[in-house]
Structure formats: structure tokens, C-alpha cells
Amino acid sequence: MKYKSQSMELMKILSDPRRNQILHLASDEPITVKAMAEKIGEEPLRLYYHVKKLVKAELLEVVNTRQHGNLTEKYYQAVNFRDVIYKGDMAEQAEYIEQTLSLIHQIVDPGLHLYQNKLEMIRSGKEAHSVPIHVTIDSATERKTGREWRQSLEHVMKAMAPKSFDQSSWPDLPDDDRDGEEGTYQYVLVSYRIEDQDELYKEKKED
């Protein structure tokens, strides 16, 4: 496990939920665009653009090709996707503040949209457990030192990591001038199932 600097260009790529879906599908074993499309429930042609972007960014690579008559199928695999934590380069982001915030909204807003839809379904009479949407927004406040706060973030990241991760190889936290300073920290967790957002979008489009 290692930290890698995330450029603005990489942030643009990884802020798209569809591309993250592709990377996860291709992280376990090589997979074709056709197979990705079947798993996601999307037309293959709509995925080729995203696949090309990921290949260009060296996040995805062609590891095999197979000939089926006149058709050549390419098998793609993610490159170190499960072994790297991408950290934004704040110096570069400071040069593109509006764009950075827009990309963050691109990640967070679908969760807020799903949460709103789930609440509306519950208000209309459905039981919360019967609403077919996986989304949660949780918050907590805690008094900690700066270092305790950053260590708590490490614990959260470890909890979200795949079981196959070697937890002992987690990168060390860099030193911070405010490590000993105590403060009150607000935590907000927004988590949602990307496929639920896709299904909701399709339903509304059909209506």
C-alpha cells in the first residue's frame, strides 16, 4: 500500500463513478468491455470512451487479446488500483479551486440525490428497509489532537479497503505542525451504491 499524488487530470478521471466501476471490475481479473457492460447494465459503446481514458491515464492496460472470427476482443486489467491511495495535490488544486469543488460535487451529489429519493419514498408510505436504495449519510463529532484525527482517518480508510489488503503495509502518516493541538473534529460519511443511482436515472428517463 502506498500514497500517490493525484493530479487534477487524474482527479477528473477518478471523480467519474462509471470509471471507478470499470476499475473495480477489472481489478480482480482481466475483463472485456462487453463483459463490463453486462455487469454494469450498460451498452458497450458507452463504456469505450471511459476505457480509453483509463488506458491513457495508465490506470487500465490491455493484458490479452483473443480472436473471435473477424472480431478481436481485448482483455483489460486495472493497474495497481487496489494497492494505491491517491491523495490530491492541494497546491495544484489551489490553482483550480472551482474545478476542484465541481469534481468533489460530482462524487458527493449522487449520494445526496439518492438520499433525497429514499426519503421521498419513505414519506410516500414505503418502509425504510423495503426501499431498494443503498445510501447512508452519517455524522459524528469528536475532540482529538491533530495526530489522533489523522490516525482516525487511517482507520476509516482501512475499514473501507478490500480484505485482501495487507494492513501492515499501510503508509506512515507524515508529520504535521499541528499534531499536538487539540480541536473538535466533524466527521461526515456519505456512502451509496453507484448502481442504485444508475437504476434511478434510467427509471426517471423512461418516465
Side-chain angles (χ1 to χ4, degrees):
M1 180 67 62
K2 59 184 176 181
Y3 286 120
K4 238 181 167 181
S5 180
Q6 183 186 55
S7 65
M8 282 300 299
E9 189 58 37
L10 190 56
M11 187 177 180
K12 286 182 200 174
I13 292 169
L14 294 178
S15 64
D16 188 304
R18 176 69 78 231
R19 291 170 193 161
N20 279 292
Q21 278 182 303
I22 290 170
L23 287 171
H24 278 286
L25 288 172
S27 62
D28 294 327
E29 60 183 6
I31 187 170
T32 64
V33 172
K34 181 181 177 182
M36 291 178 197
E38 288 175 356
K39 288 179 179 290
I40 294 174
E42 186 60 272
E43 292 294 326
L45 286 176
R46 291 182 178 273
L47 295 188
Y48 278 110
Y49 170 78
H50 299 295
V51 168
K52 287 179 181 177
K53 282 279 188 184
L54 292 168
V55 170
K56 187 176 180 181
E58 299 182 347
L59 294 171
L60 204 63
E61 64 181 358
V62 178
V63 294
N64 194 12
T65 58
R66 292 181 188 172
Q67 196 72 31
H68 297 280
N70 294 326
L71 179 67
T72 301
E73 278 195 321
K74 294 180 180 179
Y75 286 76
Y76 297 89
Q77 189 153 32
V79 180
N80 297 326
F81 182 62
R82 292 186 181 275
D83 300 320
V84 174
I85 300 173
Y86 290 100
K87 299 287 285 183
D89 183 341
M90 295 195 76
E92 184 180 9
Q93 289 175 3
E95 298 295 321
Y96 304 94
I97 294 175
E98 290 184 3
Q99 187 178 40
T100 297
L101 294 178
S102 175
L103 292 172
I104 292 171
H105 276 291
Q106 193 172 318
I107 298 170
V108 175
D109 285 354
L112 300 180
H113 182 61
L114 279 172
Y115 199 80
Q116 176 183 340
N117 276 271
K118 185 164 186 174
L119 293 177
E120 288 172 352
M121 289 181 190
I122 293 169
R123 185 169 61 183
S124 70
K126 287 191 176 182
E127 294 291 334
H129 67 272
S130 68
V131 177
I133 295 176
H134 280 183
V135 60
T136 183
I137 299 177
D138 300 300
S139 66
T141 307
E142 189 59 61
R143 190 82 178 162
K144 297 177 181 290
T145 64
R147 184 157 189 85
E148 287 171 338
W149 169 66
R150 292 188 301 116
Q151 286 174 334
S152 69
L153 299 181
E154 179 184 330
H155 295 319
V156 172
M157 291 297 294
K158 283 183 177 181
M160 293 191 296
K163 293 178 181 178
S164 58
F165 273 166
D166 178 8
Q167 301 285 353
S168 64
S169 68
W170 206 267
D172 291 331
L173 289 171
D175 291 331
D176 189 303
D177 291 341
R178 302 180 72 186
D179 273 352
E181 187 177 329
E182 195 173 70
T184 306
Y185 291 88
Q186 180 72 48
Y187 297 80
V188 180
L189 171 67
V190 179
S191 179
Y192 61 92
R193 186 174 178 265
I194 293 172
E195 287 82 359
D196 288 345
Q197 174 67 15
D198 293 341
E199 288 165 17
L200 191 64
Y201 173 77
K202 287 176 184 176
E203 287 174 9
K204 295 206 167 186
K205 194 174 179 182
E206 289 170 1
D207 291 343

